[in-house]
Amino acid sequence: MTAEASTPSGAVPTRRGHRRVRLRQLGRAAVFGSDRHRLPDAIEHLAKAHRSHHPGADLGDLHRAYRLAEAAHRGQTRKSGEPYITHPLAVTLILAELGAETTTLTASLLHDTVEDTDVTLDQVRADFGDEVGHLVDGVTKLQKVEYGAAAESETFRKMLVATGSDVRVMSIKLADRLHNMRTLGVMRPEKQARIARVTRDVLIPLAERLGVHTVKTELEDLVFAVLHPEEHRAAHALVRAHRERPDPLADAASLVRAVLREAGIAAEVQIRPRHLFSVHRARLKRGELGAWDYGRLLILVAENADCYAVLGELHTCLNPVVSEFKDFVAAPKFNLYQSLHTAFSTPDGDVAEVLVRTHAMHRVAENGVIALGDPHRSAEGEPGAEEAERAADPTRPGWLSRLLKWQEQATDPDTFWTELRDELARDREITVFAGSPEDGPLQLPVGATCVDAAYARHGAAAHSCMGARVNGRLATLRTVLRDGDTVQLLLAGDGGSGPSPEWLEHATTPAARVAIRSWLTAGGAQPQDERGEEARRPAPEPERPAAPAGGLAG
């Protein structure tokens, strides 16, 4: 059971202005409910949050899922002593506030039933359909009785594979972890630290990869409080002291509004404060923080063209800091994030950072793939031709496809867990062009070499790679690639000698490392040329800090 939770006393305001529901109140409503012909009291708030994003949603499945989950979990409690049903309710409310659609919310209410109660997966599928069944199965842990020490890493592998066919699996896991982190207080300090480290090393990078910024930033603050309590208190004191003084960004926002009004550009200008961990990170990078360093201006407009119109006015009428300009509208980040970044300086030398994006971009920047809805349906809401649509679907990001590819070769659980931690430790990508235009560009992590590009483009056929041309010039396989490079990979064909152990020193991606190790372990036998389907698989990519041996909790 996912029972690592404590109960906050009273409703706690969140950073986003929502009020967290009292678990005691929720527990009473969950247990005593209301009459069977209307929506249970325990999910009235959930229904409101859901309909604020999806006004016409049919709540019938939510009603039925709640009743099944409440009956199945009846008699179970969390570490705090609260009825266990409060946990799936709270997880589902998080997803509802982020705009998740009904199928995700239904699965979220049921996400612990198969793992912790007598409800079977077949029963879930029969009552709620295959989609809900797939989501519930994806987040259900494997049992230690069957898998022993490998249970946790294999559970996560299973979850990633399920996410590969439906990214909503990971959305539920992220919301599950966020609620457990919010209510971690009753656990022993050593267990709190272990869970927080895994959250930092695995779940936070995945939230970033999926663009769920709202969840990522709150998880960062919660982990920060557990692992670095002194620094957390110091950052909190800085923010509290800053709030007691006039914020100079308020005057900057007024100035920007006046500039845009004069230009006839309809825009919403907000002050976006830094969260606690961001304040701490900024302080480490910049030293003592000035009054302008506690937030940024956020400008929201209607259309993409308006973003550039705003940029033109800011750079014309104010004093731009050109080195701070970045265009993530024309070239979105790998996690779907889009914004224009810029900054302007005041006559006194203070600098105001600015983000410019459309309202649609903002929704995706905050809620990532959750804001994109059901990956099985087209924009018109009709079921799509699945495989064709999924290949181009932004809810199936390229990095996930590449991760799924290399994990097939990493059959050993320890190798998978180690490579996954290394993969997630990276948080930036480059785009390189290798092969013909129809092959499309490759997304590779910063620091990737020609070896990585070879295995990303050609799979096992890259064993016969002899060298490369980078931007038309001959280059060694250890050459580090830069964003925008054009790479021509030179393969020897069947007569190639295969990779040498030194290639491992130049390989930075799991796909390359796993493939090279497999070839060397097999005694250097030349693998079959898999140029059709396998030789053209996309590449792996980004990474983050290493997760502890304890694996995943909760």
Side-chain angles (χ1 to χ4, degrees), residues 6-176:
S6 65
T7 308
S9 57
V12 182
T14 69
R15 282 192 310 108
R16 306 280 167 191
H18 299 296
R19 292 183 68 79
R20 295 185 195 155
V21 179
R22 294 175 186 265
L23 288 189
R24 278 184 171 65
Q25 187 180 33
L26 200 70
R28 285 197 298 273
V31 172
F32 298 114
S34 52
D35 79 70
R36 52 191 308 130
H37 298 296
R38 71 182 192 83
L39 208 60
D41 295 337
I43 59 171
E44 281 184 351
H45 59 284
L46 171 59
K48 286 180 184 176
H50 186 35
R51 282 198 161 148
S52 70
H53 293 278
H54 304 278
D58 181 354
L59 302 178
D61 281 350
L62 287 183
H63 192 163
R64 292 192 304 113
Y66 167 76
R67 291 207 179 277
L68 175 58
E70 190 279 320
H73 288 297
R74 192 174 296 158
Q76 296 177 343
T77 58
R78 308 195 80 209
K79 291 284 186 183
S80 61
E82 296 297 333
Y84 192 83
I85 188 63
T86 59
H87 171 66
L89 277 169
V91 170
T92 308
L93 179 59
I94 290 170
L95 290 165
E97 289 177 339
L98 293 174
E101 38 62 63
T102 309
T103 301
T104 304
L105 302 186
T106 302
S108 177
L109 283 170
L110 300 169
H111 81 269
D112 276 336
T113 53
V114 173
E115 182 181 326
D116 292 337
T117 77
D118 292 334
V119 174
T120 66
L121 195 57
D122 286 341
Q123 182 181 346
V124 171
R125 287 196 174 106
D127 290 349
F128 297 95
D130 288 340
E131 272 191 84
V132 171
H134 176 74
L135 299 180
V136 172
D137 185 34
V139 294
T140 299
K141 294 178 189 172
L142 300 173
Q143 297 301 314
K144 285 190 175 180
V145 174
E146 258 184 272
Y147 288 84
E152 288 173 315
S153 62
E154 289 303 302
T155 291
F156 205 73
R157 187 202 297 262
K158 168 178 173 268
M159 197 181 306
L160 285 171
V161 171
T163 299
S165 60
D166 198 323
V167 77
R168 294 174 293 179
V169 170
M170 193 56 67
S171 299
I172 295 171
K173 179 60 186 178
L174 289 172
D176 173 72

Side-chain angles (χ1 to χ4, degrees), residues 332-405:
K333 289 187 178 183
F334 62 84
N335 61 1
L336 312 178
Y337 175 87
Q338 288 184 285
S339 280
L340 297 179
H341 289 205
T342 189
F344 62 86
S345 62
T346 69
D348 294 330
D350 295 306
V351 174
E353 299 177 41
V354 184
L355 308 175
V356 187
R357 59 180 74 141
T358 66
H359 290 278
M361 291 175 193
H362 183 59
R363 188 169 63 254
V364 175
E366 292 292 282
N367 302 336
V369 295
I370 297 174
L372 299 179
D374 183 352
H376 290 281
R377 293 182 179 273
S378 65
E380 291 74 34
E382 296 299 322
E386 301 233 339
E387 289 309 314
E389 282 200 13
R390 297 304 274 282
D393 192 342
T395 64
R396 170 73 182 268
W399 64 264
L400 179 57
S401 297
R402 298 190 295 274
L403 187 153
L404 292 172
K405 177 57 190 167

Side-chain angles (χ1 to χ4, degrees), residues 42 82 119 124 158 164 256 272 285 290 295 302 326 350 371 375 379 407 424 446-448 472 481 487 538 543:
E82 296 297 333
V119 174
V124 171
K158 168 178 173 268
V256 169
R272 188 171 176 80
K285 183 178 178 181
K326 295 183 181 69
D350 295 306
Q407 70 83 25
L424 293 175
V446 169
L481 299 171
V487 184
E543 318 190 358

Side-chain angles (χ1 to χ4, degrees), residues 431-487:
T431 300
V432 299
F433 301 89
S436 58
E438 56 267 25
D439 288 330
L442 290 176
Q443 305 296 135
L444 296 170
V446 169
T449 65
C450 291
V451 170
D452 298 307
Y455 282 95
R457 178 57 76 204
H458 297 295
H463 292 329
S464 65
C465 192
M466 302 181 299
R469 290 181 181 273
V470 177
N471 301 326
R473 299 188 175 204
L474 282 172
T476 63
L477 290 177
R478 66 173 178 269
T479 300
V480 175
L481 299 171
R482 297 180 181 178
D483 196 39
D485 279 349
T486 298
V487 184

